[in-house]
Short mmCIF file of all heavy atoms in Angstrom, two decimals:
data_model
loop_
_atom_site.label_atom_id
_atom_site.label_comp_id
_atom_site.label_asym_id
_atom_site.label_seq_id
_atom_site.Cartn_x
_atom_site.Cartn_y
_atom_site.Cartn_z
N MET A 84 18.21 15.75 -9.53
CA MET A 84 17.30 15.31 -8.48
C MET A 84 16.74 13.94 -8.84
O MET A 84 16.61 13.61 -10.01
CB MET A 84 16.15 16.29 -8.32
CG MET A 84 16.52 17.59 -7.74
SD MET A 84 15.02 18.48 -7.32
CE MET A 84 15.71 19.71 -6.29
N ILE A 85 16.40 13.21 -7.81
CA ILE A 85 15.84 11.89 -8.02
C ILE A 85 14.38 12.02 -8.48
O ILE A 85 13.58 12.70 -7.83
CB ILE A 85 15.90 11.05 -6.73
CG1 ILE A 85 17.35 10.80 -6.33
CG2 ILE A 85 15.14 9.73 -6.90
CD1 ILE A 85 18.14 9.94 -7.29
N VAL A 86 14.05 11.41 -9.59
CA VAL A 86 12.68 11.39 -10.09
C VAL A 86 12.00 10.10 -9.63
O VAL A 86 10.86 10.12 -9.16
CB VAL A 86 12.66 11.49 -11.63
CG1 VAL A 86 11.25 11.29 -12.17
CG2 VAL A 86 13.22 12.84 -12.07
N CYS A 87 12.69 8.99 -9.78
CA CYS A 87 12.15 7.69 -9.37
C CYS A 87 12.89 7.22 -8.12
O CYS A 87 14.05 6.82 -8.20
CB CYS A 87 12.30 6.67 -10.49
SG CYS A 87 11.69 5.04 -10.04
N VAL A 88 12.21 7.31 -7.00
CA VAL A 88 12.82 6.92 -5.73
C VAL A 88 13.04 5.41 -5.69
O VAL A 88 14.07 4.93 -5.24
CB VAL A 88 11.93 7.37 -4.56
CG1 VAL A 88 12.47 6.86 -3.24
CG2 VAL A 88 11.81 8.88 -4.55
N CYS A 89 12.08 4.66 -6.16
CA CYS A 89 12.17 3.20 -6.08
C CYS A 89 13.41 2.66 -6.80
O CYS A 89 14.04 1.72 -6.33
CB CYS A 89 10.92 2.56 -6.67
SG CYS A 89 9.41 2.95 -5.78
N LYS A 90 13.75 3.24 -7.94
CA LYS A 90 14.87 2.75 -8.75
C LYS A 90 16.06 3.70 -8.72
O LYS A 90 17.04 3.49 -9.45
CB LYS A 90 14.43 2.52 -10.20
CG LYS A 90 13.32 1.50 -10.35
CD LYS A 90 13.80 0.12 -9.96
CE LYS A 90 12.67 -0.90 -10.12
NZ LYS A 90 13.13 -2.26 -9.84
N SER A 91 15.99 4.76 -7.92
CA SER A 91 17.08 5.74 -7.80
C SER A 91 17.50 6.29 -9.17
O SER A 91 18.69 6.26 -9.52
CB SER A 91 18.29 5.13 -7.09
OG SER A 91 17.95 4.81 -5.77
N VAL A 92 16.55 6.78 -9.91
CA VAL A 92 16.83 7.35 -11.24
C VAL A 92 16.62 8.86 -11.18
O VAL A 92 15.56 9.32 -10.76
CB VAL A 92 15.93 6.73 -12.32
CG1 VAL A 92 16.21 7.34 -13.68
CG2 VAL A 92 16.12 5.22 -12.36
N SER A 93 17.64 9.59 -11.59
CA SER A 93 17.58 11.05 -11.55
C SER A 93 17.07 11.62 -12.87
O SER A 93 17.07 10.94 -13.90
CB SER A 93 18.98 11.62 -11.27
OG SER A 93 19.83 11.35 -12.37
N ASP A 94 16.68 12.89 -12.84
CA ASP A 94 16.29 13.57 -14.07
C ASP A 94 17.47 13.64 -15.03
O ASP A 94 17.30 13.54 -16.25
CB ASP A 94 15.73 14.97 -13.78
CG ASP A 94 16.72 15.88 -13.07
OD1 ASP A 94 17.54 15.38 -12.27
OD2 ASP A 94 16.66 17.09 -13.31
N ARG A 95 18.68 13.77 -14.49
CA ARG A 95 19.87 13.81 -15.33
C ARG A 95 20.05 12.49 -16.10
O ARG A 95 20.39 12.49 -17.28
CB ARG A 95 21.09 14.07 -14.44
CG ARG A 95 22.18 14.82 -15.15
CD ARG A 95 23.34 15.11 -14.24
NE ARG A 95 22.95 15.95 -13.10
CZ ARG A 95 23.76 16.26 -12.10
NH1 ARG A 95 24.99 15.79 -12.07
NH2 ARG A 95 23.35 17.02 -11.13
N LYS A 96 19.81 11.38 -15.42
CA LYS A 96 19.94 10.06 -16.05
C LYS A 96 18.88 9.90 -17.15
O LYS A 96 19.16 9.36 -18.23
CB LYS A 96 19.81 8.95 -14.99
CG LYS A 96 19.83 7.55 -15.56
CD LYS A 96 21.19 7.22 -16.15
CE LYS A 96 21.21 5.80 -16.68
NZ LYS A 96 22.38 5.56 -17.52
N ILE A 97 17.68 10.37 -16.87
CA ILE A 97 16.60 10.27 -17.87
C ILE A 97 16.97 11.11 -19.10
O ILE A 97 16.85 10.66 -20.23
CB ILE A 97 15.26 10.73 -17.27
CG1 ILE A 97 14.83 9.74 -16.18
CG2 ILE A 97 14.19 10.85 -18.35
CD1 ILE A 97 13.64 10.20 -15.35
N ARG A 98 17.47 12.33 -18.85
CA ARG A 98 17.86 13.20 -19.98
C ARG A 98 19.00 12.59 -20.78
O ARG A 98 19.01 12.64 -22.01
CB ARG A 98 18.25 14.59 -19.46
CG ARG A 98 17.06 15.39 -19.01
CD ARG A 98 17.42 16.85 -18.74
NE ARG A 98 16.22 17.59 -18.38
CZ ARG A 98 15.84 17.82 -17.13
NH1 ARG A 98 16.58 17.41 -16.12
NH2 ARG A 98 14.73 18.47 -16.88
N ALA A 99 19.97 12.00 -20.08
CA ALA A 99 21.10 11.35 -20.77
C ALA A 99 20.61 10.18 -21.62
O ALA A 99 21.07 9.97 -22.74
CB ALA A 99 22.15 10.89 -19.77
N SER A 100 19.67 9.44 -21.09
CA SER A 100 19.12 8.30 -21.83
C SER A 100 18.36 8.77 -23.07
O SER A 100 18.44 8.14 -24.13
CB SER A 100 18.19 7.47 -20.93
OG SER A 100 18.93 6.93 -19.85
N ILE A 101 17.65 9.87 -22.93
CA ILE A 101 16.92 10.43 -24.08
C ILE A 101 17.93 10.87 -25.14
O ILE A 101 17.75 10.61 -26.33
CB ILE A 101 16.01 11.59 -23.64
CG1 ILE A 101 14.85 11.03 -22.79
CG2 ILE A 101 15.47 12.37 -24.84
CD1 ILE A 101 14.03 12.09 -22.08
N GLU A 102 19.01 11.52 -24.69
CA GLU A 102 20.05 11.95 -25.65
C GLU A 102 20.70 10.76 -26.32
O GLU A 102 21.16 10.85 -27.45
CB GLU A 102 21.10 12.80 -24.93
CG GLU A 102 20.61 14.19 -24.61
CD GLU A 102 21.64 15.00 -23.83
OE1 GLU A 102 22.83 14.60 -23.81
OE2 GLU A 102 21.25 16.02 -23.24
N ASP A 103 20.73 9.62 -25.62
CA ASP A 103 21.30 8.39 -26.20
C ASP A 103 20.31 7.67 -27.12
O ASP A 103 20.64 6.59 -27.64
CB ASP A 103 21.76 7.44 -25.09
CG ASP A 103 23.01 7.93 -24.39
OD1 ASP A 103 23.70 8.82 -24.95
OD2 ASP A 103 23.31 7.42 -23.30
N GLY A 104 19.11 8.21 -27.27
CA GLY A 104 18.18 7.65 -28.24
C GLY A 104 16.92 7.03 -27.68
O GLY A 104 16.06 6.61 -28.44
N MET A 105 16.81 6.92 -26.38
CA MET A 105 15.56 6.39 -25.82
C MET A 105 14.52 7.50 -25.86
O MET A 105 14.64 8.49 -25.14
CB MET A 105 15.76 5.94 -24.36
CG MET A 105 16.51 4.65 -24.24
SD MET A 105 16.61 4.17 -22.52
CE MET A 105 18.36 3.90 -22.40
N ASP A 106 13.55 7.35 -26.72
CA ASP A 106 12.60 8.45 -26.89
C ASP A 106 11.16 8.03 -26.65
O ASP A 106 10.23 8.67 -27.12
CB ASP A 106 12.75 9.09 -28.26
CG ASP A 106 12.38 8.14 -29.38
OD1 ASP A 106 12.23 6.94 -29.11
OD2 ASP A 106 12.23 8.61 -30.51
N SER A 107 10.96 6.96 -25.91
CA SER A 107 9.59 6.62 -25.54
C SER A 107 9.54 6.26 -24.06
O SER A 107 10.55 5.83 -23.47
CB SER A 107 9.06 5.45 -26.38
OG SER A 107 9.65 4.23 -25.97
N PHE A 108 8.38 6.44 -23.50
CA PHE A 108 8.20 6.12 -22.09
C PHE A 108 8.48 4.64 -21.84
O PHE A 108 9.12 4.28 -20.85
CB PHE A 108 6.76 6.47 -21.67
CG PHE A 108 6.50 6.23 -20.21
CD1 PHE A 108 6.85 7.17 -19.27
CD2 PHE A 108 5.91 5.05 -19.78
CE1 PHE A 108 6.62 6.95 -17.92
CE2 PHE A 108 5.68 4.81 -18.44
CZ PHE A 108 6.03 5.77 -17.50
N ASP A 109 8.02 3.79 -22.74
CA ASP A 109 8.22 2.34 -22.58
C ASP A 109 9.70 1.97 -22.55
O ASP A 109 10.12 1.11 -21.77
CB ASP A 109 7.51 1.58 -23.70
CG ASP A 109 6.00 1.64 -23.56
OD1 ASP A 109 5.51 2.03 -22.48
OD2 ASP A 109 5.30 1.31 -24.54
N GLU A 110 10.50 2.61 -23.41
CA GLU A 110 11.94 2.32 -23.42
C GLU A 110 12.59 2.74 -22.10
O GLU A 110 13.40 2.00 -21.55
CB GLU A 110 12.62 3.08 -24.57
CG GLU A 110 12.46 2.43 -25.92
CD GLU A 110 13.18 3.24 -26.99
OE1 GLU A 110 12.69 4.35 -27.31
OE2 GLU A 110 14.23 2.78 -27.46
N LEU A 111 12.24 3.93 -21.63
CA LEU A 111 12.80 4.40 -20.36
C LEU A 111 12.37 3.49 -19.22
O LEU A 111 13.16 3.17 -18.33
CB LEU A 111 12.36 5.84 -20.08
CG LEU A 111 12.96 6.89 -21.00
CD1 LEU A 111 12.26 8.23 -20.80
CD2 LEU A 111 14.45 7.06 -20.74
N GLN A 112 11.14 3.06 -19.27
CA GLN A 112 10.64 2.16 -18.23
C GLN A 112 11.39 0.83 -18.26
O GLN A 112 11.79 0.30 -17.23
CB GLN A 112 9.14 1.94 -18.43
CG GLN A 112 8.46 1.23 -17.27
CD GLN A 112 6.97 1.19 -17.45
OE1 GLN A 112 6.46 1.00 -18.54
NE2 GLN A 112 6.26 1.38 -16.36
N PHE A 113 11.62 0.31 -19.45
CA PHE A 113 12.31 -0.98 -19.59
C PHE A 113 13.78 -0.87 -19.21
O PHE A 113 14.31 -1.70 -18.47
CB PHE A 113 12.16 -1.49 -21.02
CG PHE A 113 12.80 -2.84 -21.23
CD1 PHE A 113 12.16 -3.99 -20.81
CD2 PHE A 113 14.04 -2.94 -21.84
CE1 PHE A 113 12.77 -5.23 -20.98
CE2 PHE A 113 14.65 -4.17 -22.02
CZ PHE A 113 14.01 -5.32 -21.59
N GLU A 114 14.45 0.16 -19.72
CA GLU A 114 15.90 0.28 -19.52
C GLU A 114 16.29 0.80 -18.14
O GLU A 114 17.27 0.36 -17.56
CB GLU A 114 16.51 1.18 -20.59
CG GLU A 114 16.44 0.62 -21.99
CD GLU A 114 17.25 -0.66 -22.16
OE1 GLU A 114 18.26 -0.84 -21.45
OE2 GLU A 114 16.86 -1.49 -22.99
N LEU A 115 15.53 1.77 -17.61
CA LEU A 115 15.89 2.38 -16.34
C LEU A 115 15.06 1.87 -15.17
O LEU A 115 15.42 2.06 -14.01
CB LEU A 115 15.74 3.91 -16.42
CG LEU A 115 16.54 4.61 -17.53
CD1 LEU A 115 16.24 6.11 -17.50
CD2 LEU A 115 18.03 4.36 -17.36
N GLY A 116 13.93 1.28 -15.48
CA GLY A 116 13.05 0.77 -14.43
C GLY A 116 12.11 1.80 -13.84
O GLY A 116 11.41 1.52 -12.87
N VAL A 117 12.10 3.02 -14.42
CA VAL A 117 11.22 4.05 -13.88
C VAL A 117 9.76 3.61 -14.01
O VAL A 117 9.38 2.91 -14.94
CB VAL A 117 11.42 5.41 -14.60
CG1 VAL A 117 12.80 5.97 -14.33
CG2 VAL A 117 11.20 5.29 -16.10
N ALA A 118 8.97 4.00 -13.03
CA ALA A 118 7.53 3.71 -13.01
C ALA A 118 7.23 2.22 -13.11
O ALA A 118 6.19 1.83 -13.61
CB ALA A 118 6.82 4.48 -14.12
N SER A 119 8.15 1.40 -12.64
CA SER A 119 7.92 -0.04 -12.71
C SER A 119 7.72 -0.66 -11.33
O SER A 119 7.55 -1.86 -11.21
CB SER A 119 9.09 -0.73 -13.41
OG SER A 119 10.28 -0.55 -12.66
N CYS A 120 7.74 0.18 -10.31
CA CYS A 120 7.55 -0.35 -8.95
C CYS A 120 6.24 0.22 -8.40
O CYS A 120 5.19 -0.36 -8.61
CB CYS A 120 8.76 0.01 -8.09
SG CYS A 120 8.79 -0.83 -6.52
N CYS A 121 6.29 1.37 -7.73
CA CYS A 121 5.05 1.95 -7.20
C CYS A 121 4.31 2.76 -8.27
O CYS A 121 3.12 2.97 -8.16
CB CYS A 121 5.35 2.83 -5.99
SG CYS A 121 6.13 4.41 -6.39
N GLY A 122 5.05 3.25 -9.26
CA GLY A 122 4.43 3.99 -10.36
C GLY A 122 4.18 5.46 -10.10
O GLY A 122 3.69 6.17 -10.98
N LYS A 123 4.52 5.94 -8.92
CA LYS A 123 4.22 7.33 -8.58
C LYS A 123 5.04 8.34 -9.37
O LYS A 123 4.70 9.50 -9.43
CB LYS A 123 4.43 7.57 -7.08
CG LYS A 123 3.39 6.87 -6.23
CD LYS A 123 3.60 7.16 -4.78
CE LYS A 123 2.49 6.49 -3.97
NZ LYS A 123 2.69 6.66 -2.53
N CYS A 124 6.13 7.91 -9.98
CA CYS A 124 6.99 8.82 -10.72
C CYS A 124 6.60 8.97 -12.19
O CYS A 124 7.19 9.77 -12.90
CB CYS A 124 8.43 8.34 -10.64
SG CYS A 124 8.66 6.71 -11.40
N ALA A 125 5.62 8.23 -12.64
CA ALA A 125 5.30 8.21 -14.07
C ALA A 125 5.06 9.60 -14.64
O ALA A 125 5.60 9.96 -15.69
CB ALA A 125 4.09 7.31 -14.32
N GLU A 126 4.28 10.41 -13.94
CA GLU A 126 3.98 11.73 -14.46
C GLU A 126 5.23 12.61 -14.49
O GLU A 126 5.44 13.39 -15.43
CB GLU A 126 2.88 12.40 -13.63
CG GLU A 126 2.29 13.61 -14.32
CD GLU A 126 1.02 14.09 -13.67
OE1 GLU A 126 0.27 13.26 -13.13
OE2 GLU A 126 0.81 15.31 -13.70
N SER A 127 6.08 12.50 -13.48
CA SER A 127 7.32 13.28 -13.45
C SER A 127 8.26 12.84 -14.56
O SER A 127 8.94 13.67 -15.17
CB SER A 127 8.01 13.13 -12.09
OG SER A 127 7.20 13.68 -11.08
N VAL A 128 8.31 11.54 -14.84
CA VAL A 128 9.14 11.04 -15.95
C VAL A 128 8.63 11.63 -17.26
O VAL A 128 9.41 12.11 -18.10
CB VAL A 128 9.12 9.49 -16.00
CG1 VAL A 128 9.79 8.99 -17.28
CG2 VAL A 128 9.79 8.92 -14.77
N ARG A 129 7.33 11.63 -17.44
CA ARG A 129 6.76 12.20 -18.68
C ARG A 129 7.05 13.69 -18.77
O ARG A 129 7.30 14.22 -19.84
CB ARG A 129 5.25 11.94 -18.73
CG ARG A 129 4.91 10.47 -18.87
CD ARG A 129 3.40 10.26 -18.89
NE ARG A 129 3.00 8.91 -18.57
CZ ARG A 129 3.03 7.88 -19.40
NH1 ARG A 129 3.48 8.06 -20.63
NH2 ARG A 129 2.64 6.69 -19.02
N ASP A 130 7.05 14.40 -17.64
CA ASP A 130 7.38 15.82 -17.63
C ASP A 130 8.83 16.04 -18.07
O ASP A 130 9.11 16.94 -18.86
CB ASP A 130 7.20 16.41 -16.23
CG ASP A 130 5.87 17.10 -16.06
OD1 ASP A 130 5.17 17.29 -17.07
OD2 ASP A 130 5.55 17.45 -14.91
N VAL A 131 9.74 15.21 -17.55
CA VAL A 131 11.15 15.33 -17.95
C VAL A 131 11.28 15.06 -19.44
O VAL A 131 12.02 15.76 -20.16
CB VAL A 131 12.06 14.37 -17.14
CG1 VAL A 131 13.48 14.37 -17.67
CG2 VAL A 131 12.05 14.75 -15.66
N MET A 132 10.53 14.08 -19.93
CA MET A 132 10.57 13.77 -21.37
C MET A 132 10.10 14.98 -22.17
O MET A 132 10.73 15.35 -23.17
CB MET A 132 9.69 12.56 -21.67
CG MET A 132 10.21 11.26 -21.10
SD MET A 132 9.11 9.88 -21.42
CE MET A 132 9.42 9.65 -23.18
N MET A 133 9.00 15.58 -21.75
CA MET A 133 8.49 16.75 -22.49
C MET A 133 9.48 17.89 -22.46
O MET A 133 9.72 18.55 -23.47
CB MET A 133 7.15 17.20 -21.91
CG MET A 133 6.01 16.32 -22.36
SD MET A 133 4.42 16.97 -21.87
CE MET A 133 4.54 18.64 -22.44
N GLN A 134 10.11 18.13 -21.29
CA GLN A 134 11.09 19.21 -21.18
C GLN A 134 12.32 18.92 -22.03
O GLN A 134 13.04 19.84 -22.39
CB GLN A 134 11.49 19.40 -19.71
CG GLN A 134 10.39 19.98 -18.87
CD GLN A 134 10.73 20.01 -17.40
OE1 GLN A 134 11.81 19.60 -16.99
NE2 GLN A 134 9.81 20.51 -16.59
N SER A 135 12.55 17.65 -22.34
CA SER A 135 13.69 17.27 -23.16
C SER A 135 13.35 17.27 -24.64
O SER A 135 14.17 16.85 -25.46
CB SER A 135 14.19 15.89 -22.73
OG SER A 135 14.62 15.92 -21.40
N GLY A 136 12.13 17.64 -24.96
CA GLY A 136 11.74 17.77 -26.36
C GLY A 136 11.15 16.53 -26.97
O GLY A 136 10.97 16.48 -28.19
N VAL A 137 10.84 15.52 -26.16
CA VAL A 137 10.17 14.34 -26.70
C VAL A 137 8.71 14.70 -26.91
O VAL A 137 8.06 15.21 -26.00
CB VAL A 137 10.30 13.14 -25.73
CG1 VAL A 137 9.56 11.94 -26.27
CG2 VAL A 137 11.76 12.81 -25.49
N CYS A 138 8.21 14.48 -28.10
CA CYS A 138 6.85 14.92 -28.42
C CYS A 138 5.82 14.11 -27.63
O CYS A 138 6.08 12.99 -27.17
CB CYS A 138 6.58 14.85 -29.91
SG CYS A 138 6.41 13.19 -30.54
N ALA A 139 4.65 14.69 -27.50
CA ALA A 139 3.59 14.09 -26.68
C ALA A 139 3.22 12.70 -27.16
O ALA A 139 2.85 11.84 -26.36
CB ALA A 139 2.37 14.99 -26.68
N SER A 140 3.33 12.44 -28.45
CA SER A 140 2.94 11.13 -28.95
C SER A 140 3.89 10.03 -28.46
O SER A 140 3.53 8.87 -28.40
CB SER A 140 2.88 11.13 -30.47
OG SER A 140 4.16 11.35 -31.01
N ARG A 141 5.13 10.40 -28.10
CA ARG A 141 6.10 9.41 -27.63
C ARG A 141 6.09 9.27 -26.10
O ARG A 141 6.40 8.22 -25.58
CB ARG A 141 7.52 9.77 -28.08
CG ARG A 141 7.71 9.80 -29.57
CD ARG A 141 7.53 8.46 -30.20
NE ARG A 141 8.65 7.60 -29.87
CZ ARG A 141 8.64 6.28 -30.06
NH1 ARG A 141 7.59 5.70 -30.57
NH2 ARG A 141 9.68 5.58 -29.74
N CYS A 142 5.76 10.35 -25.41
CA CYS A 142 5.74 10.22 -23.94
C CYS A 142 4.33 9.97 -23.44
O CYS A 142 4.14 9.66 -22.27
CB CYS A 142 6.33 11.45 -23.25
SG CYS A 142 5.36 12.94 -23.34
N GLY A 143 3.33 10.08 -24.32
CA GLY A 143 1.96 9.76 -23.94
C GLY A 143 1.36 10.75 -22.98
O GLY A 143 0.49 10.42 -22.20
N PHE A 144 1.80 11.99 -23.07
CA PHE A 144 1.33 12.99 -22.12
C PHE A 144 1.05 14.27 -22.88
O PHE A 144 1.91 14.76 -23.59
CB PHE A 144 2.40 13.22 -21.05
CG PHE A 144 1.99 14.11 -19.93
CD1 PHE A 144 1.11 13.67 -18.96
CD2 PHE A 144 2.48 15.40 -19.84
CE1 PHE A 144 0.73 14.49 -17.91
CE2 PHE A 144 2.11 16.23 -18.79
CZ PHE A 144 1.24 15.77 -17.83
N GLU A 145 -0.13 14.79 -22.74
CA GLU A 145 -0.47 16.06 -23.36
C GLU A 145 -0.13 17.18 -22.41
O GLU A 145 -0.43 17.12 -21.22
CB GLU A 145 -1.97 16.11 -23.68
CG GLU A 145 -2.38 15.12 -24.75
CD GLU A 145 -1.79 15.46 -26.12
OE1 GLU A 145 -1.59 16.65 -26.40
OE2 GLU A 145 -1.54 14.52 -26.87
N HIS A 146 0.53 18.21 -22.93
CA HIS A 146 0.90 19.35 -22.09
C HIS A 146 -0.28 20.28 -21.91
O HIS A 146 -0.97 20.62 -22.85
CB HIS A 146 2.07 20.12 -22.71
CG HIS A 146 2.48 21.30 -21.89
ND1 HIS A 146 3.07 21.16 -20.66
CD2 HIS A 146 2.36 22.62 -22.11
CE1 HIS A 146 3.30 22.36 -20.16
NE2 HIS A 146 2.89 23.26 -21.02
N HIS A 147 -0.52 20.66 -20.68
CA HIS A 147 -1.57 21.61 -20.37
C HIS A 147 -0.92 22.80 -19.67
O HIS A 147 -0.12 22.61 -18.75
CB HIS A 147 -2.62 20.98 -19.46
CG HIS A 147 -3.27 19.78 -20.06
ND1 HIS A 147 -4.20 19.88 -21.07
CD2 HIS A 147 -3.10 18.47 -19.83
CE1 HIS A 147 -4.59 18.66 -21.41
NE2 HIS A 147 -3.94 17.78 -20.68
N PRO A 148 -1.26 24.01 -20.08
CA PRO A 148 -0.62 25.19 -19.50
C PRO A 148 -0.76 25.27 -17.98
O PRO A 148 0.10 25.79 -17.32
CB PRO A 148 -1.35 26.36 -20.17
CG PRO A 148 -1.99 25.80 -21.37
CD PRO A 148 -2.20 24.34 -21.13
N GLN A 149 -1.84 24.75 -17.44
CA GLN A 149 -2.04 24.82 -15.99
C GLN A 149 -1.53 23.55 -15.30
O GLN A 149 -1.90 23.26 -14.18
CB GLN A 149 -3.52 24.99 -15.64
CG GLN A 149 -4.14 26.26 -16.13
CD GLN A 149 -4.69 26.14 -17.54
OE1 GLN A 149 -4.89 25.04 -18.04
NE2 GLN A 149 -4.94 27.25 -18.18
N ALA A 150 -0.67 22.82 -15.96
CA ALA A 150 -0.19 21.55 -15.40
C ALA A 150 0.51 21.79 -14.07
O ALA A 150 1.13 22.82 -13.84
CB ALA A 150 0.76 20.87 -16.37
N VAL A 151 0.42 20.82 -13.22
CA VAL A 151 1.06 20.87 -11.91
C VAL A 151 2.57 20.80 -12.11
O VAL A 151 3.05 20.02 -12.93
CB VAL A 151 0.58 19.68 -11.05
CG1 VAL A 151 1.27 19.69 -9.69
CG2 VAL A 151 -0.93 19.72 -10.90
N PRO A 152 3.35 21.62 -11.40
CA PRO A 152 4.80 21.59 -11.56
C PRO A 152 5.38 20.24 -11.15
O PRO A 152 4.75 19.46 -10.44
CB PRO A 152 5.29 22.70 -10.64
CG PRO A 152 4.14 23.13 -9.83
CD PRO A 152 2.90 22.60 -10.44
N LEU A 153 6.61 20.00 -11.62
CA LEU A 153 7.30 18.75 -11.31
C LEU A 153 7.41 18.54 -9.80
O LEU A 153 7.63 19.48 -9.05
CB LEU A 153 8.72 18.79 -11.87
CG LEU A 153 8.90 18.50 -13.32
CD1 LEU A 153 10.37 18.67 -13.68
CD2 LEU A 153 8.45 17.11 -13.65
N THR A 154 7.28 17.30 -9.41
CA THR A 154 7.49 16.95 -8.02
C THR A 154 8.67 15.99 -7.96
O THR A 154 8.65 14.94 -8.59
CB THR A 154 6.25 16.25 -7.44
OG1 THR A 154 5.14 17.11 -7.56
CG2 THR A 154 6.47 15.89 -5.98
N PHE A 155 9.69 16.40 -7.27
CA PHE A 155 10.85 15.55 -7.13
C PHE A 155 10.94 15.07 -5.68
O PHE A 155 10.54 15.76 -4.75
CB PHE A 155 12.15 16.30 -7.48
CG PHE A 155 12.25 16.64 -8.93
CD1 PHE A 155 12.03 17.92 -9.37
CD2 PHE A 155 12.55 15.65 -9.85
CE1 PHE A 155 12.13 18.23 -10.71
CE2 PHE A 155 12.65 15.95 -11.19
CZ PHE A 155 12.43 17.24 -11.63
N TYR A 156 11.47 13.91 -5.53
CA TYR A 156 11.65 13.35 -4.20
C TYR A 156 13.14 13.25 -3.94
O TYR A 156 13.90 12.87 -4.80
CB TYR A 156 11.04 11.96 -4.13
CG TYR A 156 9.58 11.93 -4.52
CD1 TYR A 156 9.20 11.65 -5.81
CD2 TYR A 156 8.61 12.22 -3.57
CE1 TYR A 156 7.87 11.65 -6.16
CE2 TYR A 156 7.28 12.22 -3.92
CZ TYR A 156 6.91 11.93 -5.22
OH TYR A 156 5.61 11.93 -5.58
N GLU A 157 13.53 13.60 -2.76
CA GLU A 157 14.94 13.50 -2.40
C GLU A 157 15.13 12.38 -1.40
O GLU A 157 14.33 12.20 -0.50
CB GLU A 157 15.44 14.82 -1.79
CG GLU A 157 15.51 15.93 -2.82
CD GLU A 157 16.24 17.13 -2.29
OE1 GLU A 157 17.24 16.95 -1.59
OE2 GLU A 157 15.79 18.24 -2.58
N ARG A 158 16.17 11.63 -1.62
CA ARG A 158 16.48 10.54 -0.70
C ARG A 158 17.44 11.08 0.36
O ARG A 158 18.45 11.68 0.05
CB ARG A 158 17.12 9.41 -1.47
CG ARG A 158 17.55 8.27 -0.55
CD ARG A 158 18.11 7.15 -1.33
NE ARG A 158 16.99 6.40 -1.90
CZ ARG A 158 17.13 5.40 -2.73
NH1 ARG A 158 18.33 5.02 -3.10
NH2 ARG A 158 16.10 4.76 -3.18
N LYS A 159 17.10 10.86 1.59
CA LYS A 159 17.96 11.30 2.69
C LYS A 159 19.01 10.23 2.96
O LYS A 159 18.74 9.05 2.89
CB LYS A 159 17.12 11.53 3.95
CG LYS A 159 16.02 12.52 3.74
CD LYS A 159 16.16 13.66 4.67
CE LYS A 159 14.96 14.58 4.46
NZ LYS A 159 15.24 15.90 4.43
N ALA A 160 20.21 10.71 3.29
CA ALA A 160 21.29 9.76 3.63
C ALA A 160 20.95 9.05 4.93
O ALA A 160 20.35 9.64 5.84
CB ALA A 160 22.60 10.51 3.78
N ALA A 161 21.32 7.80 5.00
CA ALA A 161 21.01 7.02 6.20
C ALA A 161 21.90 7.40 7.36
O ALA A 161 22.96 7.91 7.24
CB ALA A 161 21.16 5.54 5.91
S1 FES B 206 9.04 6.20 -7.61
FE1 FES B 206 9.32 5.33 -9.56
S2 FES B 206 8.44 3.38 -9.41
FE2 FES B 206 8.25 4.18 -7.42
#
């Protein structure tokens, strides 16, 4: 699913990038462009990072048990 609508970046692409060694929010932002336009995807990107095992100190997000579930946006075909 698309996490960053502005840059058309999917959760799969974020996970692949993490597996390739990008393990900080800043790296993902620089390399993929996530959260660099409207910024609304930042929390979802951090959630994907946490689910991929990136520790809170690298994604800058503390996990809370009552955290709001992931919100994904889907792009409709024109
Ligand atoms: S949705 Fe990611 S920067 Fe706008």
